[in-house]
Amino acid sequence: MTGSAAAVRRVSIGDRVLAYTEVAPAAPRANVLFLAWLGGSRLGWQPVVEALGDAYRALAPDHRDTGDSEAFADPYLLADLADDAAALLRAVDAAPAFVVGLSMGGMVAQHLALRHPDLVRGLVLVSTTPGGAGSTPATERGRAALFLPAEMDPQERARQALTLMTYEGFAAAHPEALDVAAANAARHPMSAESFKRQFRAIRAHDTTADLARLAVPSLVLHGERDDLIPLPNAQRLAVGIPGAELRVYPATGHMPHLERPVQFLRDLRGFLEAQVR
């Protein structure tokens, strides 16, 4: 392996520094970039990165102003995060790449493919949306996950957010998942200001009119009972992106890579293998 779970790497893009993790075999079949969600860091993708790194060069960056990446105090758009990802791919010679993004990460992935089509070989859009006026809003339970008290301890916030984002009963059945989320939050606590910057960027997201330009193989994965980004949003993606395939996980919320890890990895590997063979 060229990387490990503990190793954080850093790369300069312009006048800033992005942190990322990389796991890969000696002869990877393709490059795969994983983009994190609102309030998350690369650590949330780490189990998938480690698993996929047996055959692929798997990279997971921290977005600007999160995790171990350099602090960033100015407002930005998701297009700016897409440009960061593009700069990373170029800087570490990992293009073209398959791009896997969950929630906000899936939104960034759309902008990346639209703004830098030469860098993107395929898209896996998980629990995400094209945004815009046609969006189906979060349920009351989903909104509660977003608006937990700002003064809450980061570890407790992570536990409560994951409980609300996953399908009812998941947290009680998998307390170890809450422990991991809390440990990740302890390592990478996010300030209220950083969270607000990400949230405002999400509010401005709308790729609806551009979906037909996403001319790469695309797989849309979504939980049937996603309270944060309800299923109709994924259906809009699948209809709008030419040739996109939609797979829906029953009795699953916003985090299918945690709630359905075996099936999620099988679907991800199957998609990648179909493109690289």
Side-chain angles (χ1 to χ4, degrees):
M1 294 283 183
T2 62
S4 70
V8 56
R9 303 182 178 196
R10 291 175 173 82
V11 62
S12 295
I13 57 167
D15 59 351
R16 291 177 294 105
V17 174
L18 285 186
Y20 70 101
T21 296
E22 176 179 339
V23 180
R29 301 184 65 192
N31 305 308
V32 187
L33 180 71
F34 291 86
L35 299 175
W37 42 93
L38 171 67
S41 74
R42 69 180 193 279
L43 299 179
W45 274 126
Q46 197 60 39
V48 181
V49 167
E50 291 176 8
L52 207 70
D54 64 352
Y56 297 89
R57 184 183 181 192
L59 305 100
D62 287 329
H63 296 297
R64 64 171 69 178
D65 202 26
T66 64
D68 291 309
S69 287
E70 190 171 343
F72 194 90
D74 296 332
Y76 52 83
L77 297 172
L78 296 187
D80 296 314
L81 299 186
D83 289 347
D84 288 349
L88 169 69
L89 289 174
R90 291 189 177 105
V92 301
D93 193 24
F98 293 96
V99 184
V100 184
L102 189 150
S103 197
M104 184 189 80
M107 302 175 206
V108 175
Q110 295 167 56
H111 289 281
L112 176 59
L114 289 167
R115 295 170 69 82
H116 306 276
D118 57 313
L119 304 183
V120 178
R121 191 172 174 183
L123 290 170
V124 181
L125 303 174
V126 188
S127 305
T128 194
T129 175
S135 295
T136 299
T139 68
E140 182 177 353
R141 188 168 185 262
R143 289 192 295 273
L146 288 175
F147 300 115
L148 292 167
E151 66 276 8
M152 184 177 290
D153 172 78
Q155 295 183 65
E156 181 58 27
R157 171 187 286 274
R159 290 178 180 276
Q160 290 198 26
L162 185 59
T163 298
L164 292 166
M165 286 192 294
T166 50
Y167 185 55
E168 292 183 26
F170 173 80
H174 298 277
E176 74 285 354
L178 300 186
D179 292 341
V180 170
N184 290 347
R187 180 172 172 185
H188 286 162
M190 178 175 249
S191 70
E193 292 75 19
S194 297
F195 187 89
K196 289 175 184 176
R197 282 190 284 272
Q198 282 195 351
F199 186 74
R200 291 185 188 115
I202 289 171
R203 292 289 296 272
H205 166 68
D206 184 0
T207 57
T208 307
D210 298 312
L211 293 179
R213 293 200 292 115
L214 293 173
V216 293
S218 300
L219 175 64
V220 180
L221 302 176
H222 214 93
E224 178 189 33
R225 302 297 295 272
D226 189 336
D227 285 308
L228 197 60
I229 299 180
L231 180 58
N233 296 290
Q235 293 167 332
R236 290 174 59 223
L237 278 174
V239 168
I241 300 173
E245 178 184 0
L246 171 63
R247 295 187 186 178
V248 179
Y249 299 114
T252 302
H254 191 62
M255 308 295 274
H257 69 301
L258 298 179
E259 298 175 71
R260 303 285 178 185
V262 174
Q263 188 175 355
F264 180 87
L265 266 175
R266 183 170 63 243
D267 289 341
L268 178 54
R269 286 187 187 275
F271 173 77
L272 294 173
E273 288 167 5
Q275 311 308 320
V276 302
R277 66 186 176 193

